[in-house]
Amino acid sequence: MYPFSKFAFFRFIVITLSLITVILFLVSIPIYYEYIKLNCITSVCKGFYNPPPGANWLKSHGLTPTEYSFAYVSIYTVFGFVFIFAGLLLLWKKSSDPIGLFGTLMLVSLGGTFTPIMGALKLVHPFLLYLVQTIGATGMATFILFFFLFPNGQFTPKWPKYLCYVLITLRIPGMIFPNSNLNLQYVSNWLFGSWFIIWIGSLMFVQIYKYKFVLTPLEKQQAKWVVYGVVLALAGLFSVTAIFVPNEEFILADPYQLYYVEIGVHLSMLLIPIAILIAMMKHRLWDIDFIVNRTLVYGIMTATTLAFYVLAVWYLGLLLQIQNHLFSSLIATGIIAVLFAPLKERIQRFINLRMYGEKDDPYSVLLRLAKELETPSSPEAVLHLVVRTIKDALKLPYASLSLYKNGVEVTVSEEGTLDDEHFIYKLLYQGEEIGLLKLARRAPREEFTVSDRKLLDMLVRQASVVVQSAKASLDLKILAADLQESRENLVLAREEERRKLRSNLHDDLAPRLAALALTAAAAEDLVESNPLATKDILGELHTTIRQTVSEIRSLVYDLRPPTLDEMGLIGAIHERIKELSMPTKNRNQTTAVVFTLNAPNRLPVLPAAVEVAAFRITTEAIVNVVRHSMAKNCKISISFIEHNERGLQIMIEDNGIGMSSIKKNGNKGGIGIESMKERTNELGGKFLIDSVRTNGTTITVFLPVNTLLVGEKNEKAQGVYSG
C-alpha cells in the first residue's frame, strides 16, 4: 500500500510516540495520585474534574484521602492500561498493516490522554503539558483517520480524504493550544458543534458507503464489530449524561454518586478497544448480527420498562393521592411482569423482521404462502407468488424463476433489479431438475448466513412442489394451445392439399381429358373420308392417354403409395429394397449394398398415417445409404412394440463411413434427415440418429400407434372385408 521507506518511517514514528506515551503515563500515575491526595480533598483542583469531597465528608464515611485518591487513580489507570495494552497488542500482531499502526497510535494516545492522569506532568515542567496536549491531539487525529480508513485502509469514495484533512486541520491545533482562538470550542460552542456534526455525519456516510459497495464479507464483519463497539460506547456516555444532567446537583453533592458516574463513563469507553481488537485480531469473526439483535431487543426492553415504571408510579401516585410510592411501585411492577413476555416477543419479532427479514420464522412464511395459494390463481400468478415470497422473506433486491422448456431455460417470473453477482439454486422434483432460482446478494460480495441458507433450503424444497404443479398446469395450457394450433394447421394443410388437388385436376387433367374428347371426335369425323389421318390422330390419342394415366398414377402415389395397399408395409419396403439393390457407381467405385430385412410376417393393422410415414422414412433412409454411406451392408429391422408405449419401431443400420465423414468430405447432404424428423415429429414419435461412430450410422424411429385409431381401423377393415 505504501513504499517501504515511507511505511518504515511511519512505523518508526508510531513506535516512538507509543513508547513516549507509555513512559509518560507510567511516570504520571504516582504524581497524579499525590496531587489528588494533597490538593483535591478540600479545594478545587484544575487537574481533577470532580469537586472536592471535603475532609468532614470523608471522616463521616470512614474514608481517608489516601483511599479516595486511590479509588479515582485506579479507574483512570485501569482505563489507560486497557487502551495501551490493546494498542501495543495491535503493534505486535499488525505492525506490517497501516491500519494496525493507526489503531496502535490511536489507542495508546487515547489511553494516555483521555483521563486527566498525564495532566499532572505540568507540575514537573510546563513543557510536558504541551507534550501531553500534542499526544492528545495526535490521538484525536488518528481517531478521525482510523475510522475514515477502516477496515481496508482506503478513502472510499475519494472526496472524504479532503474532508478528513480539513476536519483534522480545524480540530488539532486547538487541542494543542486550548486557550487560544485556534480552539473552536474556545471561540464558540456553535462552531465546535457544527464541526462535530459534520465529522460524525461524514463518518457515518463513509462507513455505510463502504459497507454497501466496497467491503468484502470479512471486512464487513470487521466494520460491524467496530461500529458496534463505538455505538455502544457512545450510548453508554449518552445514558450516563442523560442521568447526570437532570440530577447534577444531587450527584455533585454526593461523592459516591459522582464516583459511580466516573465508573460508568470509563467502562463504556472500554468497549472501543475491545471491539477493535476482536475485529482486527480474530481471523474467523463471530457473527455479530446475533449480538446486535439481542442488544437492540434488551436495550429497547430496558428503556421501555424504565419509562413505563416511572410513568406508572407517577400516575398511580397522582391518581390514588398517596405519598408513599411503595404501593404504586408494587402495582407498576406487577403490570410490567405481566406485560414483559408479550412485549419482548413483539419487540424481538420487530427487530428480527428489520434485520433478517423472516428467516427466523420460516413457518410463518410457509403458512402465508399456503394461504395465498388457496386463492384460485393462474399458473403465472403462482410462479410470481413463489418468487415474491422468497424475495421478501430474505429481503433480497432481486429474485427470478426459470423453467426448462424443450431443453431451453426460460425466465417465467422475476422481481427486482439483477446485478452481476447472484446465487443460483436448482429446483428439483423427484430427482429431476425442473428449473433455476436466481437470487441477488443483499450487497456486493455479501454471502448468505447460516440462518439464511436454512430458510432458503426449506423454501426451495417447498417451492419445488408448488412450481412443479404450476409448471404442469402451464404445460397443459401450452399443450392445449399447441393442440389448437395443430388443429388449425391440419385444417389449413388439408384445404391446401384439396386446393392443390383441385388445381391439378381442373387446370391439367380436365383440359387434357377434354382435348382427348375433341381428338376422338375429330378421328370419328375423318374415319371414312381420310383413314390415314384418322390413324395418325389415333396414335397421338394413344400416346396422350398413356401420359395422362401416368400422371394420374403419380398423383395417386403422392397421396398414398399404391404398393402399401397392394402388398402392405413390409411388402412395399421389400419391393423398394429390390429396386435399390442394383449396383451403382459411387465415388468411382462399383458398389452393391446388401440389404437385410428383419420384420414379422404380419403387422397389426396400422393407421394410414403411420403406414405412410414408416414407408417414407424407411425408403428415404435406405436411399441415403445407397447414395452417401459407401456401405456394403444395411440391416433394416421393423417390429411392433406393445409394452409401455404401443407403436412401430424401425431401425436402419449400415456399416458405411458415418455422418461425420460424409460432412468432412464436403457432402452437406439434402433434406432427407430433416424430412424424416418432420414426419416422425408430426406423429409424436421419437427420432434418433447415432452418427458418432466412424464406421456406420444407425437410425432409430419410433412411431406411436393410438389404440383407439387402430381399433377403429380394424372395425372398418372387417366391415369392408365382410361386405
Side-chain angles (χ1 to χ4, degrees), residues 20-70:
I20 292 173
T21 303
V22 172
I23 293 173
L24 292 178
F25 183 76
L26 293 174
V27 170
S28 63
I29 292 174
I31 298 174
Y32 187 72
Y33 170 74
E34 292 295 330
Y35 176 74
I36 294 178
K37 185 173 67 172
L38 298 176
N39 301 287
C40 303
I41 302 299
T42 58
S43 60
V44 178
C45 292
K46 189 175 182 180
F48 184 58
Y49 304 142
N50 300 332
N56 294 331
W57 187 90
L58 290 178
K59 186 177 181 180
S60 63
H61 288 82
L63 297 174
T64 64
T66 299
E67 294 171 337
Y68 180 81
S69 303
F70 180 80

Short mmCIF file of all heavy atoms in Angstrom, two decimals, residues 20-70:
data_model
loop_
_atom_site.label_atom_id
_atom_site.label_comp_id
_atom_site.label_asym_id
_atom_site.label_seq_id
_atom_site.Cartn_x
_atom_site.Cartn_y
_atom_site.Cartn_z
N ILE A 20 6.94 6.84 24.05
CA ILE A 20 6.95 8.07 24.85
C ILE A 20 5.68 8.16 25.68
O ILE A 20 5.72 8.51 26.88
CB ILE A 20 7.09 9.30 23.92
CG1 ILE A 20 8.48 9.32 23.28
CG2 ILE A 20 6.84 10.59 24.69
CD1 ILE A 20 8.65 10.40 22.23
N THR A 21 4.54 7.83 25.07
CA THR A 21 3.26 7.91 25.79
C THR A 21 3.22 6.94 26.95
O THR A 21 2.77 7.28 28.06
CB THR A 21 2.10 7.62 24.82
OG1 THR A 21 2.16 8.53 23.72
CG2 THR A 21 0.76 7.77 25.52
N VAL A 22 3.67 5.73 26.74
CA VAL A 22 3.66 4.73 27.81
C VAL A 22 4.55 5.18 28.97
O VAL A 22 4.17 5.09 30.16
CB VAL A 22 4.11 3.35 27.27
CG1 VAL A 22 4.29 2.37 28.42
CG2 VAL A 22 3.08 2.81 26.28
N ILE A 23 5.73 5.68 28.63
CA ILE A 23 6.65 6.13 29.69
C ILE A 23 6.04 7.30 30.47
O ILE A 23 6.05 7.30 31.72
CB ILE A 23 8.00 6.53 29.07
CG1 ILE A 23 8.71 5.30 28.49
CG2 ILE A 23 8.89 7.22 30.10
CD1 ILE A 23 9.97 5.62 27.72
N LEU A 24 5.50 8.28 29.76
CA LEU A 24 4.90 9.43 30.43
C LEU A 24 3.70 9.01 31.28
O LEU A 24 3.49 9.54 32.38
CB LEU A 24 4.48 10.48 29.40
CG LEU A 24 5.62 11.19 28.66
CD1 LEU A 24 5.04 12.17 27.63
CD2 LEU A 24 6.51 11.96 29.65
N PHE A 25 2.92 8.04 30.78
CA PHE A 25 1.74 7.58 31.54
C PHE A 25 2.18 6.90 32.84
O PHE A 25 1.60 7.15 33.91
CB PHE A 25 0.92 6.61 30.68
CG PHE A 25 -0.34 6.14 31.34
CD1 PHE A 25 -1.45 6.96 31.42
CD2 PHE A 25 -0.41 4.87 31.89
CE1 PHE A 25 -2.61 6.52 32.04
CE2 PHE A 25 -1.56 4.42 32.51
CZ PHE A 25 -2.67 5.25 32.58
N LEU A 26 3.19 6.04 32.75
CA LEU A 26 3.66 5.35 33.95
C LEU A 26 4.25 6.34 34.96
O LEU A 26 4.05 6.21 36.18
CB LEU A 26 4.71 4.30 33.57
CG LEU A 26 4.19 3.11 32.74
CD1 LEU A 26 5.35 2.22 32.31
CD2 LEU A 26 3.18 2.30 33.53
N VAL A 27 4.97 7.34 34.44
CA VAL A 27 5.57 8.34 35.33
C VAL A 27 4.51 9.20 36.00
O VAL A 27 4.63 9.57 37.18
CB VAL A 27 6.57 9.21 34.54
CG1 VAL A 27 7.03 10.42 35.37
CG2 VAL A 27 7.78 8.39 34.11
N SER A 28 3.45 9.50 35.27
CA SER A 28 2.45 10.43 35.79
C SER A 28 1.52 9.81 36.83
O SER A 28 0.86 10.54 37.58
CB SER A 28 1.61 10.99 34.63
OG SER A 28 0.90 9.95 33.99
N ILE A 29 1.42 8.48 36.89
CA ILE A 29 0.47 7.84 37.83
C ILE A 29 0.78 8.22 39.28
O ILE A 29 -0.12 8.72 40.00
CB ILE A 29 0.46 6.31 37.64
CG1 ILE A 29 -0.14 5.95 36.28
CG2 ILE A 29 -0.34 5.64 38.75
CD1 ILE A 29 -0.06 4.47 35.94
N PRO A 30 1.98 8.02 39.80
CA PRO A 30 2.23 8.41 41.20
C PRO A 30 2.16 9.92 41.41
O PRO A 30 1.74 10.38 42.48
CB PRO A 30 3.64 7.86 41.47
CG PRO A 30 4.27 7.73 40.12
CD PRO A 30 3.17 7.38 39.19
N ILE A 31 2.56 10.69 40.41
CA ILE A 31 2.48 12.15 40.54
C ILE A 31 1.02 12.59 40.69
O ILE A 31 0.68 13.41 41.55
CB ILE A 31 3.13 12.84 39.32
CG1 ILE A 31 4.62 12.48 39.24
CG2 ILE A 31 2.96 14.35 39.39
CD1 ILE A 31 5.30 13.01 38.00
N TYR A 32 0.16 12.01 39.84
CA TYR A 32 -1.26 12.38 39.90
C TYR A 32 -1.89 11.91 41.21
O TYR A 32 -2.72 12.61 41.80
CB TYR A 32 -1.99 11.78 38.69
CG TYR A 32 -3.42 12.23 38.57
CD1 TYR A 32 -3.73 13.52 38.16
CD2 TYR A 32 -4.47 11.36 38.87
CE1 TYR A 32 -5.05 13.94 38.05
CE2 TYR A 32 -5.78 11.77 38.76
CZ TYR A 32 -6.08 13.06 38.35
OH TYR A 32 -7.38 13.48 38.25
N TYR A 33 -1.47 10.74 41.66
CA TYR A 33 -2.00 10.21 42.92
C TYR A 33 -1.68 11.16 44.09
O TYR A 33 -2.55 11.51 44.89
CB TYR A 33 -1.42 8.82 43.17
CG TYR A 33 -1.68 8.27 44.54
CD1 TYR A 33 -2.94 7.80 44.91
CD2 TYR A 33 -0.64 8.20 45.48
CE1 TYR A 33 -3.16 7.29 46.17
CE2 TYR A 33 -0.86 7.70 46.75
CZ TYR A 33 -2.12 7.25 47.09
OH TYR A 33 -2.35 6.75 48.36
N GLU A 34 -0.44 11.58 44.16
CA GLU A 34 -0.04 12.51 45.23
C GLU A 34 -0.74 13.86 45.06
O GLU A 34 -1.10 14.50 46.05
CB GLU A 34 1.48 12.69 45.22
CG GLU A 34 2.26 11.45 45.64
CD GLU A 34 2.00 11.10 47.10
OE1 GLU A 34 1.73 12.00 47.91
OE2 GLU A 34 2.06 9.89 47.42
N TYR A 35 -0.92 14.26 43.82
CA TYR A 35 -1.57 15.55 43.55
C TYR A 35 -3.00 15.55 44.09
O TYR A 35 -3.42 16.51 44.73
CB TYR A 35 -1.54 15.80 42.04
CG TYR A 35 -2.28 17.06 41.62
CD1 TYR A 35 -1.73 18.32 41.86
CD2 TYR A 35 -3.51 16.98 40.98
CE1 TYR A 35 -2.40 19.48 41.46
CE2 TYR A 35 -4.18 18.11 40.59
CZ TYR A 35 -3.63 19.37 40.82
OH TYR A 35 -4.30 20.50 40.44
N ILE A 36 -3.75 14.48 43.83
CA ILE A 36 -5.13 14.43 44.33
C ILE A 36 -5.15 14.37 45.86
O ILE A 36 -5.90 15.08 46.53
CB ILE A 36 -5.87 13.21 43.74
CG1 ILE A 36 -6.05 13.36 42.23
CG2 ILE A 36 -7.24 13.05 44.39
CD1 ILE A 36 -6.72 12.17 41.59
N LYS A 37 -4.31 13.52 46.40
CA LYS A 37 -4.32 13.31 47.85
C LYS A 37 -3.97 14.59 48.61
O LYS A 37 -4.56 14.89 49.66
CB LYS A 37 -3.35 12.19 48.21
CG LYS A 37 -3.36 11.82 49.68
CD LYS A 37 -2.51 10.60 49.96
CE LYS A 37 -1.04 10.92 49.74
NZ LYS A 37 -0.16 9.79 50.20
N LEU A 38 -3.07 15.40 48.07
CA LEU A 38 -2.60 16.58 48.80
C LEU A 38 -3.39 17.84 48.48
O LEU A 38 -3.48 18.75 49.32
CB LEU A 38 -1.11 16.81 48.51
CG LEU A 38 -0.16 15.68 48.94
CD1 LEU A 38 1.26 16.01 48.52
CD2 LEU A 38 -0.24 15.46 50.45
N ASN A 39 -4.00 17.92 47.27
CA ASN A 39 -4.56 19.19 46.84
C ASN A 39 -6.06 19.16 46.54
O ASN A 39 -6.68 20.23 46.47
CB ASN A 39 -3.83 19.70 45.59
CG ASN A 39 -2.35 19.87 45.82
OD1 ASN A 39 -1.92 20.81 46.49
ND2 ASN A 39 -1.55 18.96 45.27
N CYS A 40 -6.63 17.97 46.32
CA CYS A 40 -8.00 17.93 45.76
C CYS A 40 -9.03 17.39 46.75
O CYS A 40 -10.14 17.04 46.34
CB CYS A 40 -8.02 17.08 44.48
SG CYS A 40 -6.87 17.65 43.23
N ILE A 41 -8.68 17.32 48.04
CA ILE A 41 -9.64 16.81 49.02
C ILE A 41 -10.50 17.94 49.57
O ILE A 41 -11.73 17.80 49.72
CB ILE A 41 -8.90 16.09 50.18
CG1 ILE A 41 -8.05 14.92 49.62
CG2 ILE A 41 -9.90 15.58 51.21
CD1 ILE A 41 -8.85 13.88 48.92
N THR A 42 -9.88 19.06 49.82
CA THR A 42 -10.62 20.17 50.43
C THR A 42 -10.77 21.37 49.51
O THR A 42 -11.52 22.30 49.83
CB THR A 42 -9.90 20.62 51.71
OG1 THR A 42 -8.56 21.00 51.40
CG2 THR A 42 -9.89 19.49 52.73
N SER A 43 -10.07 21.39 48.37
CA SER A 43 -10.15 22.55 47.46
C SER A 43 -10.28 22.07 46.02
O SER A 43 -9.93 20.93 45.69
CB SER A 43 -8.91 23.43 47.61
OG SER A 43 -7.74 22.69 47.31
N VAL A 44 -10.76 22.96 45.17
CA VAL A 44 -10.96 22.63 43.75
C VAL A 44 -9.62 22.55 43.05
O VAL A 44 -8.78 23.44 43.21
CB VAL A 44 -11.86 23.68 43.06
CG1 VAL A 44 -12.01 23.35 41.58
CG2 VAL A 44 -13.22 23.73 43.74
N CYS A 45 -9.43 21.49 42.27
CA CYS A 45 -8.18 21.29 41.53
C CYS A 45 -8.48 21.36 40.03
O CYS A 45 -9.43 20.72 39.54
CB CYS A 45 -7.57 19.94 41.85
SG CYS A 45 -6.95 19.81 43.53
N LYS A 46 -7.66 22.10 39.32
CA LYS A 46 -7.86 22.25 37.88
C LYS A 46 -7.58 20.93 37.15
O LYS A 46 -8.19 20.63 36.12
CB LYS A 46 -6.95 23.35 37.35
CG LYS A 46 -7.24 23.73 35.91
CD LYS A 46 -6.40 24.91 35.46
CE LYS A 46 -6.74 25.30 34.04
NZ LYS A 46 -5.93 26.45 33.56
N GLY A 47 -6.67 20.15 37.65
CA GLY A 47 -6.33 18.88 37.01
C GLY A 47 -7.22 17.73 37.41
O GLY A 47 -7.01 16.60 36.96
N PHE A 48 -8.20 18.02 38.27
CA PHE A 48 -9.12 16.96 38.72
C PHE A 48 -10.54 17.46 38.47
O PHE A 48 -10.93 18.51 38.95
CB PHE A 48 -8.88 16.68 40.20
CG PHE A 48 -9.71 15.54 40.73
CD1 PHE A 48 -9.61 14.29 40.17
CD2 PHE A 48 -10.57 15.74 41.80
CE1 PHE A 48 -10.36 13.23 40.68
CE2 PHE A 48 -11.32 14.69 42.30
CZ PHE A 48 -11.23 13.43 41.74
N TYR A 49 -11.32 16.70 37.68
CA TYR A 49 -12.60 17.19 37.21
C TYR A 49 -13.63 17.36 38.32
O TYR A 49 -14.47 18.25 38.29
CB TYR A 49 -13.17 16.23 36.15
CG TYR A 49 -12.25 15.97 34.99
CD1 TYR A 49 -12.15 14.70 34.41
CD2 TYR A 49 -11.47 16.98 34.46
CE1 TYR A 49 -11.32 14.47 33.34
CE2 TYR A 49 -10.63 16.76 33.39
CZ TYR A 49 -10.56 15.50 32.83
OH TYR A 49 -9.73 15.27 31.78
N ASN A 50 -13.58 16.51 39.35
CA ASN A 50 -14.67 16.45 40.32
C ASN A 50 -14.48 17.47 41.45
O ASN A 50 -13.36 17.82 41.82
CB ASN A 50 -14.75 15.04 40.92
CG ASN A 50 -15.02 14.00 39.85
OD1 ASN A 50 -15.63 14.30 38.84
ND2 ASN A 50 -14.54 12.79 40.07
N PRO A 51 -15.59 17.91 42.00
CA PRO A 51 -15.49 18.84 43.15
C PRO A 51 -14.92 18.11 44.37
O PRO A 51 -15.06 16.89 44.50
CB PRO A 51 -16.94 19.27 43.37
CG PRO A 51 -17.77 18.17 42.81
CD PRO A 51 -17.00 17.63 41.64
N PRO A 52 -14.26 18.82 45.27
CA PRO A 52 -13.65 18.18 46.45
C PRO A 52 -14.71 17.63 47.39
O PRO A 52 -15.74 18.26 47.62
CB PRO A 52 -12.85 19.31 47.09
CG PRO A 52 -13.54 20.55 46.65
CD PRO A 52 -14.06 20.29 45.26
N PRO A 53 -14.49 16.44 47.96
CA PRO A 53 -15.48 15.87 48.88
C PRO A 53 -15.46 16.55 50.25
O PRO A 53 -16.48 16.55 50.96
CB PRO A 53 -15.04 14.40 48.98
CG PRO A 53 -13.58 14.44 48.72
CD PRO A 53 -13.35 15.54 47.75
N GLY A 54 -14.32 17.10 50.63
CA GLY A 54 -14.20 17.72 51.96
C GLY A 54 -13.73 16.71 52.99
O GLY A 54 -14.09 15.52 52.94
N ALA A 55 -12.93 17.20 53.92
CA ALA A 55 -12.39 16.31 54.96
C ALA A 55 -13.49 15.77 55.85
O ALA A 55 -13.45 14.61 56.29
CB ALA A 55 -11.34 17.06 55.78
N ASN A 56 -14.49 16.60 56.16
CA ASN A 56 -15.59 16.15 57.04
C ASN A 56 -16.38 15.01 56.41
O ASN A 56 -16.77 14.06 57.09
CB ASN A 56 -16.50 17.33 57.36
CG ASN A 56 -15.80 18.39 58.20
OD1 ASN A 56 -14.89 18.06 58.98
ND2 ASN A 56 -16.20 19.64 58.06
N TRP A 57 -16.62 15.10 55.10
CA TRP A 57 -17.40 14.03 54.43
C TRP A 57 -16.61 12.73 54.46
O TRP A 57 -17.18 11.67 54.73
CB TRP A 57 -17.70 14.44 52.98
CG TRP A 57 -18.62 13.46 52.29
CD1 TRP A 57 -19.97 13.50 52.24
CD2 TRP A 57 -18.22 12.27 51.57
NE1 TRP A 57 -20.46 12.42 51.55
CE2 TRP A 57 -19.40 11.65 51.11
CE3 TRP A 57 -16.98 11.70 51.28
CZ2 TRP A 57 -19.37 10.48 50.38
CZ3 TRP A 57 -16.97 10.53 50.55
CH2 TRP A 57 -18.14 9.92 50.09
N LEU A 58 -15.31 12.80 54.18
CA LEU A 58 -14.50 11.59 54.22
C LEU A 58 -14.50 10.98 55.62
O LEU A 58 -14.62 9.75 55.77
CB LEU A 58 -13.06 11.90 53.80
CG LEU A 58 -12.81 12.26 52.33
CD1 LEU A 58 -11.35 12.59 52.11
CD2 LEU A 58 -13.22 11.10 51.42
N LYS A 59 -14.37 11.85 56.63
CA LYS A 59 -14.33 11.35 58.00
C LYS A 59 -15.65 10.72 58.39
O LYS A 59 -15.69 9.66 59.04
CB LYS A 59 -13.98 12.49 58.95
CG LYS A 59 -13.77 12.05 60.39
CD LYS A 59 -13.34 13.22 61.26
CE LYS A 59 -13.11 12.79 62.70
NZ LYS A 59 -12.71 13.93 63.57
N SER A 60 -16.77 11.36 57.99
CA SER A 60 -18.10 10.83 58.34
C SER A 60 -18.39 9.50 57.66
O SER A 60 -19.22 8.72 58.13
CB SER A 60 -19.19 11.85 57.98
OG SER A 60 -19.22 12.05 56.57
N HIS A 61 -17.74 9.22 56.55
CA HIS A 61 -17.98 7.97 55.82
C HIS A 61 -16.84 6.97 56.00
O HIS A 61 -16.79 5.95 55.30
CB HIS A 61 -18.17 8.25 54.33
CG HIS A 61 -19.48 8.92 54.02
ND1 HIS A 61 -19.68 10.27 54.16
CD2 HIS A 61 -20.67 8.40 53.59
CE1 HIS A 61 -20.91 10.59 53.81
NE2 HIS A 61 -21.55 9.46 53.47
N GLY A 62 -15.93 7.29 56.94
CA GLY A 62 -14.87 6.34 57.27
C GLY A 62 -13.84 6.18 56.19
O GLY A 62 -13.28 5.09 56.03
N LEU A 63 -13.59 7.22 55.43
CA LEU A 63 -12.61 7.16 54.34
C LEU A 63 -11.45 8.10 54.64
O LEU A 63 -11.58 9.10 55.34
CB LEU A 63 -13.26 7.56 53.01
CG LEU A 63 -14.39 6.67 52.49
CD1 LEU A 63 -15.02 7.27 51.25
CD2 LEU A 63 -13.88 5.26 52.20
N THR A 64 -10.29 7.78 54.05
CA THR A 64 -9.11 8.63 54.19
C THR A 64 -8.79 9.24 52.83
O THR A 64 -9.22 8.72 51.78
CB THR A 64 -7.91 7.80 54.67
OG1 THR A 64 -7.58 6.83 53.67
CG2 THR A 64 -8.22 7.08 55.98
N PRO A 65 -8.02 10.35 52.79
CA PRO A 65 -7.61 10.92 51.50
C PRO A 65 -6.85 9.92 50.62
O PRO A 65 -6.95 9.95 49.40
CB PRO A 65 -6.72 12.10 51.91
CG PRO A 65 -7.24 12.49 53.25
CD PRO A 65 -7.64 11.22 53.92
N THR A 66 -6.09 9.05 51.28
CA THR A 66 -5.35 8.03 50.52
C THR A 66 -6.30 7.10 49.77
O THR A 66 -6.12 6.81 48.58
CB THR A 66 -4.46 7.22 51.46
OG1 THR A 66 -3.52 8.10 52.09
CG2 THR A 66 -3.70 6.13 50.70
N GLU A 67 -7.33 6.64 50.48
CA GLU A 67 -8.30 5.74 49.85
C GLU A 67 -9.09 6.45 48.75
O GLU A 67 -9.36 5.88 47.69
CB GLU A 67 -9.25 5.18 50.91
CG GLU A 67 -8.57 4.27 51.92
CD GLU A 67 -9.49 3.91 53.07
OE1 GLU A 67 -10.45 4.67 53.34
OE2 GLU A 67 -9.23 2.88 53.72
N TYR A 68 -9.46 7.67 48.99
CA TYR A 68 -10.21 8.45 48.00
C TYR A 68 -9.38 8.64 46.73
O TYR A 68 -9.85 8.44 45.60
CB TYR A 68 -10.61 9.80 48.60
CG TYR A 68 -11.38 10.69 47.66
CD1 TYR A 68 -12.75 10.52 47.47
CD2 TYR A 68 -10.73 11.71 46.96
CE1 TYR A 68 -13.45 11.35 46.61
CE2 TYR A 68 -11.43 12.53 46.10
CZ TYR A 68 -12.79 12.35 45.93
OH TYR A 68 -13.49 13.18 45.07
N SER A 69 -8.12 9.05 46.90
CA SER A 69 -7.23 9.26 45.75
C SER A 69 -7.00 7.95 45.00
O SER A 69 -7.00 7.91 43.76
CB SER A 69 -5.90 9.84 46.22
OG SER A 69 -6.09 11.04 46.92
N PHE A 70 -6.79 6.88 45.75
CA PHE A 70 -6.53 5.58 45.13
C PHE A 70 -7.74 5.11 44.30
O PHE A 70 -7.58 4.51 43.23
CB PHE A 70 -6.19 4.56 46.20
CG PHE A 70 -5.92 3.19 45.65
CD1 PHE A 70 -4.68 2.90 45.08
CD2 PHE A 70 -6.89 2.19 45.68
CE1 PHE A 70 -4.42 1.64 44.56
CE2 PHE A 70 -6.63 0.95 45.16
CZ PHE A 70 -5.40 0.66 44.59
#
